[in-house]
Amino acid sequence: MSSMAALRREGKRLAPLIPSQSIRSPLSSPSLDQAPIGARSISTQIVRNRMKSVKNIQKITKAMKMVAASKLRAIQTRAENSRGLWQPFTALLGDSPSVEVKKNVVVTISSDKGLCGGINSTSVKISRVLSKLNSGPDKETKYVILGEKAKAQLTRDSKKDIEIIITELQKNPLNYTQVSVLADDILKNVEYDALRIVFNKFQSVVSFLPTVSTVLSPEIVERESEAGGKLGELDSYEIEGGDTKSEILQNLAEFQFSCVMFNAVMENACSEQGARMSAMDSSSRNAGDMLDRLTLTYNRTRQASITTELIEIISGASALTG
């Protein structure tokens, strides 16, 4: 007891001579605004950095949502108006996705940029299914790809079947002249009996419908019209002028493909912006939820650090006062 009392008196005598920082426990943590040394200050600093990065990501996703909404409003009306181009061809020639032909060409339309949900993966999956359905010993299926995303996915396992790749289609505002030139290049460089255009038809901001439109070659159209069915109604029309039936069908097939391509590109671009708008809205909400959880974790960690410091100060003061 006498030794403890002597030690206590010695501590009181030396207390004014000892700097205040030297009586701090080695395990105690400094405040958050001071130099971060110690486990607790490092953990709170990590949380603060994480909160800052999540806030920055949230700002980016909100800005991308606004940009997508602006582009969607600009292109939606044009996409709806383009539907009037191919509908007369459907009424005249029909749409025959189940027709059996030897040379199939799958035209896959996708976007050049990502962050738009599963819109591109859906088109690629449907294209692969069409390729399998139209495969056989006497059949062949080739790809014509529009967009970087479909190119990246289809070149992995179907590189030898790809005939044409077109990218940066939406670098400039889309118009019929631009798409008709691309359609003409495709018809000149690809041999086909049936062109199957895969795209996403716009329905609403949160909904798009994967669609396949079929354009038959003039020879197949003439064959099917002779066999009867929907295409058999072509014989009921009277042809004026000096053009033969085969020439008329050739012109109709080329014009039909350019109109269907223009509508498909417009519909897919509209669906892309709607899907991106929906994806960025979900990302912004998820960032907000993560920010709330990180704020709660940060406050709990900071409160625990302050409480520990107070306990250490009180314990040190009580030890000095005896």
Side-chain angles (χ1 to χ4, degrees), residues 12-290:
K12 289 180 179 180
R13 186 177 67 82
L14 296 176
L17 303 177
I18 300 175
S20 58
Q21 293 182 354
S22 61
I23 63 174
R24 184 187 295 270
S25 172
L27 298 178
S28 64
S29 61
S31 62
L32 294 174
D33 298 330
Q34 295 177 354
I37 299 177
R40 294 191 187 93
S41 64
I42 291 177
S43 63
T44 52
Q45 185 68 32
I46 291 174
V47 175
R48 279 198 298 180
N49 292 339
R50 181 63 173 165
M51 290 171 61
K52 185 178 179 180
S53 65
V54 172
K55 286 181 181 178
N56 293 335
I57 292 173
Q58 189 179 38
K59 290 179 182 178
I60 294 173
T61 54
K62 286 183 177 180
M64 292 184 66
K65 177 186 173 182
M66 295 176 62
V67 172
S70 176
K71 291 183 178 180
L72 177 62
R73 285 192 296 268
I75 202 173
Q76 183 175 357
T77 304
R78 299 175 61 197
E80 292 173 352
N81 293 336
S82 68
R83 295 172 185 173
L85 289 173
W86 61 268
Q87 288 173 348
F89 288 103
T90 304
L92 176 64
L93 302 175
D95 194 344
S96 305
S98 59
V99 64
E100 292 290 335
V101 295
K102 293 183 178 180
K103 297 179 180 180
N104 290 277
V105 176
V106 179
V107 182
T108 307
I109 301 177
S110 67
S111 65
D112 290 318
K113 299 179 181 179
L115 299 177
C116 53
I119 184 173
N120 296 313
S121 299
T122 303
S123 298
V124 171
K125 288 179 182 178
I126 294 176
S127 301
R128 286 171 174 163
V129 170
L130 286 175
S131 178
K132 291 181 180 179
L133 289 176
N134 293 284
S135 61
D138 298 329
K139 298 180 181 180
E140 64 174 357
T141 302
K142 299 294 183 180
Y143 288 106
V144 173
I145 299 175
L146 277 72
E148 286 283 353
K149 296 303 175 181
K151 169 190 171 184
Q153 296 186 47
L154 288 174
T155 49
R156 298 173 187 170
D157 54 358
S158 306
K159 188 174 182 179
K160 59 183 178 60
D161 297 327
I162 297 175
E163 291 287 331
I164 300 175
I165 297 175
I166 302 172
T167 58
E168 297 184 358
L169 184 61
Q170 300 181 35
K171 190 175 182 179
N172 299 317
L174 295 171
N175 54 60
Y176 178 76
T177 303
Q178 178 185 2
V179 177
S180 62
V181 171
L182 295 177
D184 187 57
D185 290 339
I186 293 173
L187 293 177
K188 288 180 179 179
N189 296 293
V190 176
E191 295 182 0
Y192 72 97
D193 291 331
L195 291 161
R196 306 185 188 276
I197 300 99
V198 181
F199 63 98
N200 295 281
K201 186 176 182 180
F202 178 78
Q203 290 186 319
S204 66
V205 176
V206 295
S207 175
F208 57 89
L209 181 65
T211 306
V212 179
S213 293
T214 304
V215 177
L216 302 178
S217 65
E219 295 80 9
I220 301 299
V221 171
E222 193 168 1
R223 186 194 73 182
E224 293 295 319
S225 64
E226 293 175 355
K230 176 68 178 177
L231 297 179
E233 298 178 3
L234 286 175
D235 295 331
S236 61
Y237 291 89
E238 182 179 352
I239 300 176
E240 297 181 355
D243 294 335
T244 62
K245 183 179 179 180
S246 59
E247 293 175 346
I248 294 292
L249 290 177
Q250 179 70 33
N251 295 332
L252 280 176
E254 294 177 358
F255 189 45
Q256 179 190 11
F257 179 57
S258 63
C259 292
V260 172
M261 273 284 292
F262 178 63
N263 173 252
V265 169
M266 297 297 295
E267 294 276 1
N268 199 82
C270 200
S271 300
E272 175 193 350
Q273 299 302 331
R276 180 172 289 112
M277 182 179 172
S278 178
M280 292 301 102
D281 182 59
S282 300
S283 299
S284 299
R285 290 200 305 269
N286 292 337
D289 295 340
M290 183 179 293

Side-chain angles (χ1 to χ4, degrees), residues 289-309:
D289 295 340
M290 183 179 293
L291 194 59
D292 292 339
R293 292 194 298 269
L294 288 172
T295 302
L296 183 61
T297 303
Y298 174 77
N299 290 336
R300 286 178 176 175
T301 307
R302 187 170 180 272
Q303 185 179 6
S305 176
I306 295 172
T307 303
T308 304
E309 289 188 0

